[in-house]
Amino acid sequence: MRRAIKSFAITVVTGFRRVGKTSLIKAATYALPRVYIDARKFESFQYLTYEIFIEELKASVSRFVAVNRRVLDYLKAVKGVKVLGLEIEFDHGRLRPLLTSILEAMDLWARDNGEKLVVIIDEAQELVKLRGYDIIPAIAYAYDNLRNLSFVFAGSKIGLLYRFLKVEDPSSPLYGRYVERIELKPLSREKAIEFLREGFEYHGVKVDENFLNKAVDRVDGVVGWLAYLGLRVVSKGYADPAIINEVLEEASKIAVNEFCN
Ligand SMILES: Nc1ncnc2c1ncn2[C@@H]1O[C@H](COP(=O)(O)OP(=O)(O)OP(=O)(O)O)[C@@H](O)[C@H]1O
Ligand SMILES: [Mg+2]
């Protein structure tokens, strides 16, 4: 993941729900300057406007500004951006800032600081709902010109995510750009069992091998569900076999929900 961010302008992270995508990205970029946008927030929206998107971007950039104040000097120069003390405000309507201008300012900051700035959009496929605005040309522009930015797009709806990015569509501005693909897989059976065993040992809960095997047989190596199962067992204080079914029930709720969308 770190190698991909360092070497490529765009990295796409895909994988099942709860497989650990967000954790991986956050851990890998922990020490790097980063702007994190969680587009899952828009999951329930029918459609999105540029204004809604840009407000979310503003919130993310503000969090970044809080730890890298000097970036304000760069943002100040962007048309449509106002800096009031440590706060940033974006103009609305026709005066609103261009996404490319904001990205340019961030790129300049990164260049002057000898850093690579990571722009992460989690559950990026939700942005297909943008109406009257397409962020893909801005991403293509950044790919071609803003060498100090590195984009990470993550999502669990893999088909939708690639449909949003349109790297394989000759009419898309991103066509022919290289995208590094990371597909996060569930843990192997051995690793999954080890993960649970170590967790139970740490918490001093005695669990027999039979339970571990059965849990991993049924839950598989999806780390989020294993962690959830582990927590349930630890909070109950013993390995109640009913917990396995409860976890599966939760998991299937998410699966049904994904399928219906
Ligand atoms: N390497 C890991 N070791 C232990 N626990 C982990 C690891 N990675 C993720 N988890 C735990 O698993 C859960 C799911 O992780 P995460 O949210 O990163 O997955 P995700 O793929 O982004 O899920 P979603 O599709 O719901 O967004 C979290 O509770 C997290 O703490
Ligand atoms: Mg996630």
Side-chain angles (χ1 to χ4, degrees):
M1 181 82 218
R2 288 210 189 97
R3 188 155 16 96
I5 289 167
K6 229 170 136 183
S7 316
F8 305 107
I10 300 179
T11 305
V12 174
V13 179
T14 55
F16 296 138
R17 289 295 309 269
R18 314 310 286 151
V19 82
K21 301 174 294 296
T22 303
S23 305
L24 170 73
I25 294 165
K26 288 195 165 171
T29 58
Y30 180 71
L32 301 174
R34 63 179 178 191
V35 171
Y36 176 84
I37 298 168
D38 187 2
R40 172 161 288 144
K41 201 178 211 174
F42 306 131
E43 201 163 36
S44 61
F45 287 47
Q46 291 257 316
Y47 69 95
L48 287 173
T49 61
Y50 181 69
E51 299 269 320
I52 296 174
F53 170 68
I54 204 96
E55 276 304 303
E56 195 54 36
L57 178 71
K58 191 188 83 179
S60 304
V61 170
S62 297
R63 286 194 293 274
F64 178 68
V65 164
V67 275
N68 300 280
R69 293 189 178 170
R70 296 289 305 280
V71 77
L72 285 173
D73 294 336
Y74 296 80
L75 289 168
K76 246 186 333 218
V78 176
K79 245 194 220 147
V81 177
K82 287 206 175 55
V83 172
L84 311 154
L86 294 177
E87 302 277 304
I88 51 171
E89 276 305 327
F90 288 170
D91 284 333
H92 296 280
R94 283 193 304 120
L95 297 173
R96 68 200 188 181
L98 293 174
L99 177 57
T100 44
S101 307
I102 298 167
L103 294 176
E104 270 172 343
M106 309 287 281
D107 179 67
L108 271 183
W109 173 87
R111 187 199 67 186
D112 291 351
N113 287 275
E115 302 260 24
K116 197 133 209 189
L117 173 68
V118 194
V119 180
I120 303 155
I121 307 187
D122 207 350
E123 302 299 333
Q125 74 279 340
E126 300 305 323
L127 300 184
V128 285
K129 294 175 184 164
L130 271 164
R131 294 289 173 267
Y133 183 79
D134 185 3
I135 80 160
I136 298 302
I139 306 298
Y141 173 78
Y143 183 104
D144 293 341
N145 301 290
L146 310 178
R147 293 296 157 87
N148 308 290
L149 299 184
S150 179
F151 289 87
V152 176
F153 298 106
S156 39
K157 299 171 186 168
I158 300 166
L160 263 185
L161 183 57
Y162 282 109
R163 211 194 306 161
F164 163 66
L165 291 170
K166 293 191 288 201
V167 271
E168 270 138 36
D169 174 356
S171 68
S172 161
L174 267 182
Y175 181 64
R177 306 310 193 276
Y178 180 77
V179 163
E180 179 72 350
R181 299 169 187 227
I182 295 179
E183 193 193 341
L184 202 51
K185 292 263 170 46
L187 299 178
S188 66
R189 195 187 159 77
E190 293 71 39
K191 284 249 168 67
I193 290 180
E194 195 183 307
F195 174 75
L196 287 179
R197 192 187 287 129
E198 280 182 8
F200 294 137
E201 257 167 36
Y202 178 83
H203 289 280
V205 179
K206 282 220 166 10
V207 172
D208 64 28
E209 290 299 306
N210 191 25
F211 180 85
L212 291 177
N213 280 311
K214 207 167 141 207
V216 173
D217 275 347
R218 305 204 45 212
V219 177
D220 209 351
V222 179
V223 78
W225 294 122
L226 293 174
Y228 184 72
L229 177 126
L231 278 176
R232 299 287 291 255
V233 170
V234 168
S235 83
K236 208 160 191 176
Y238 69 99
D240 182 352
I243 291 174
I244 298 176
N245 288 330
E246 286 163 25
V247 171
L248 286 171
E249 223 165 89
E250 283 303 314
S252 71
K253 271 190 220 156
I254 283 195
V256 166
N257 188 32
E258 299 277 278
F259 186 71
C260 294
N261 284 291

